[in-house]
Amino acid sequence: MSNTKKAYIAGGCFWGMEDLFRTRPGIVDTEVGYQGGQNENPTYRNHPGHAEGIELTYDPSQTSFKEILDFFFRMHNPTTVDQQGNDMGSSYRSAIFYQNEEEKAEAEEMIALVNESGKWQDKVVTTLEPFAPFWVAEDYHQDYLVKNPNGYTCHFLRFEESFIEG
């Protein structure tokens, strides 16, 4: 897996994001966890300030960071502050944890494209946050919707057409 990269995003409950990303072309692996908060070794019951996020391992010869962000902005509502579906609070914020200035610039470009598209009624409120340690969530959260096919999710593809190509 030496030819892979990682991307870190948060967009509400990590279960639904993981379930949709796992089948995307170029996605090699997914892990759900906590990122951007105040404590080390966070848990589901103790993760102050952490977003429920996802670590995506991807093959850059099959997909790009920009394509990952394009899908991200179509599979959750990036215009709601600290909320996705029934889930409310900073744990459910929309965030991109950029690892370098190139990723930050691509994220800014994608946000501008999404806003200019007019597909969302309101403007994107996704935060751009410098990379922070990613703490893998408990085992029962990993692949949750595979293990519990009728489990709750607020994630679904809202727009078929790409922001990049449209």
Side-chain angles (χ1 to χ4, degrees):
M1 294 232 273
S2 61
N3 295 328
T4 60
K5 291 185 173 185
K6 292 186 185 283
Y8 299 89
I9 53 178
C13 176
F14 42 35
W15 299 338
M17 287 195 329
E18 181 183 42
D19 200 53
L20 291 176
F21 268 109
R22 85 173 62 260
T23 60
R24 299 289 301 163
I27 301 297
V28 176
D29 191 31
T30 59
E31 291 278 350
V32 299
Y34 312 102
Q35 194 166 16
Q38 301 158 2
N39 63 331
E40 292 188 10
N41 301 305
T43 64
Y44 186 69
R45 301 229 182 273
N46 183 25
H47 61 274
H50 289 279
E52 286 194 12
I54 185 168
E55 176 187 74
L56 300 167
T57 304
Y58 67 100
D59 179 343
S61 71
Q62 295 180 36
T63 193
S64 68
F65 183 66
K66 194 170 186 179
E67 289 169 322
I68 287 169
L69 295 183
D70 177 64
F71 186 69
F72 171 67
F73 284 117
R74 293 186 289 136
M75 52 81 76
H76 86 294
N77 184 343
T79 71
T80 54
V81 176
D82 295 346
Q83 180 179 1
Q84 288 297 310
N86 296 329
D87 296 325
M88 299 171 101
S90 66
S91 295
Y92 306 108
R93 70 184 179 273
S94 177
I96 299 167
F97 294 91
Y98 62 89
Q99 299 173 81
N100 54 50
E101 289 304 310
E102 181 183 347
E103 284 187 356
K104 183 180 181 186
E106 286 187 31
E108 290 169 338
E109 183 181 324
M110 277 304 304
I111 289 170
L113 281 174
V114 172
N115 282 333
E116 289 167 13
S117 77
K119 290 180 182 177
W120 290 105
Q121 183 176 346
D122 297 313
K123 294 293 182 195
V124 169
V125 297
T126 302
T127 59
L128 299 182
E129 302 179 31
F131 179 81
F134 180 83
W135 304 92
V136 176
E138 299 85 345
D139 283 345
Y140 68 91
H141 288 298
Q142 306 301 327
D143 305 312
Y144 183 84
L145 291 174
V146 171
K147 298 171 192 169
N148 302 281
N150 296 319
Y152 171 76
T153 183
C154 58
H155 294 91
F156 58 92
L157 193 58
R158 276 111 165 132
F159 308 108
E160 287 290 332
E161 61 281 350
S162 166
F163 289 107
I164 299 170
E165 300 162 7

